[in-house]
Amino acid sequence: DTAVSQTPKYLVTQMGNDKSIKCEQNLGHDTMYWYKQDSKKFLKIMFSYNNKELIINETVPNRFSPKSPDKAHLNLHINSLELGDSAVYFCASSQGPATNQPQHFGDGTRLSIL
Amino acid sequence: EDQVTQSPEALRLQEGESSSLNCSYTVSGLRGLFWYRQDPGKGPEFLFTLYSAGEEKEKERLKATLTKKESFLHITAPKPEDSATYLCARKAGTALIFGKGTTLSVSS
């Protein structure tokens, strides 16, 4: 019954590899997000999609490419992984971009680059 | 640019010892102030949304209040299970701008 689910939970890989993280929400929400939480626990927005369309793209290297096949899914693909990409990546969803309804978060994907 | 500042960074309390966490923000025209709880290895869990100065919301031992410049999360008679990192965030367009959190430890 998980509302926002991410896979995998842990991802350990080598520098230079390409990897993907998947996110699915069963809340019927229209808007989905990717956040990055660094080693100091600071949570920062990366991307936001509304009904499969990109509406936020913060200053993120273009090695990061989000894809939304439908409004219940938002995946994150990362090319040419670097040491600095090590972090916990959180997916979230909310009813809509302009509402003040809360965002609901998944439990994160911990990415470690060797 | 950190537009949401939380203090203290860490707080240790004895069980039953009430205290408050602070969240200050610099933007005018606040569009929503959110409080979340985050347990180790988990995602942030929504607690409260506050919209206007003077607003208060309560849930069990937690009470959130809002002024024009800051929000407080009051914890009354905390228990060890209240130990977590508490995050506040303000709405900025579509996204949330988070503070760095206050890590609360409650010992019995």
Side-chain angles (χ1 to χ4, degrees):
Chain A
D1 262 46
T2 305
V4 181
S5 59
Q6 298 178 226
T7 54
K9 187 171 177 63
Y10 299 96
L11 186 53
V12 181
T13 189
Q14 292 194 332
M15 212 165 43
N17 285 349
D18 303 339
K19 290 292 178 185
S20 292
I21 306 171
K22 294 186 177 182
C23 178
E24 175 182 5
Q25 55 94 4
N26 63 5
L27 297 168
H29 288 165
D30 289 333
T31 308
M32 295 185 72
Y33 311 81
W34 278 110
Y35 286 83
K36 178 180 180 180
Q37 189 170 46
D38 62 23
S39 57
K40 296 183 179 179
K41 309 294 185 187
F42 188 45
L43 201 59
K44 190 172 182 181
I45 183 73
M46 298 175 69
F47 301 103
S48 174
Y49 268 73
N50 184 57
N51 277 325
K52 303 192 299 177
E53 291 194 13
L54 181 67
I55 53 174
I56 289 180
N57 183 356
E58 290 296 312
T59 307
V60 176
N62 58 14
R63 298 182 294 103
F64 291 78
S65 53
K67 288 187 180 169
S68 182
D70 56 62
K71 72 175 191 177
H73 295 84
L74 180 63
N75 304 324
L76 183 66
H77 188 76
I78 315 170
N79 289 327
S80 302
L81 282 157
E82 299 178 357
L83 289 175
D85 298 332
S86 294
V88 183
Y89 292 85
F90 287 97
C91 177
S93 72
S94 67
Q95 281 190 339
T99 70
N100 278 328
Q101 292 297 313
Q103 295 178 15
H104 297 268
F105 287 78
D107 281 339
T109 295
R110 183 175 296 277
L111 174 63
S112 299
I113 309 302
L114 303 178
Chain B
E1 184 183 349
D2 184 10
Q3 299 171 320
V4 177
T5 304
Q6 292 188 245
S7 61
E9 285 188 21
L11 181 62
R12 291 183 177 273
L13 299 174
Q14 291 289 319
E15 186 173 2
E17 180 186 1
S18 302
S19 188
S20 297
L21 282 54
N22 177 264
C23 171
S24 63
Y25 54 92
T26 55
V27 71
S28 59
L30 184 70
R31 293 182 54 217
L33 191 290
F34 297 79
W35 281 98
Y36 284 82
R37 168 188 171 132
Q38 186 174 21
D39 291 300
K42 298 289 187 181
E45 176 189 351
F46 171 72
L47 293 173
F48 305 108
T49 308
L50 301 166
Y51 296 105
S52 54
E55 189 174 0
E56 298 182 355
K57 290 196 176 170
E58 282 187 74
K59 179 180 179 181
E60 296 181 355
R61 295 175 293 283
L62 300 177
K63 178 178 168 182
T65 62
L66 183 66
T67 72
K68 287 186 178 179
K69 293 184 178 180
E70 57 192 348
S71 178
F72 292 93
L73 185 65
H74 307 278
I75 304 175
T76 302
K79 298 182 177 181
E81 53 261 43
D82 294 322
S83 298
T85 296
Y86 290 87
L87 300 167
C88 79
R90 68 165 185 87
K91 195 75 184 294
T94 305
L96 291 175
I97 305 296
F98 281 88
K100 294 182 179 178
T102 293
T103 299
L104 173 66
S105 299
V106 182
S107 54
S108 56

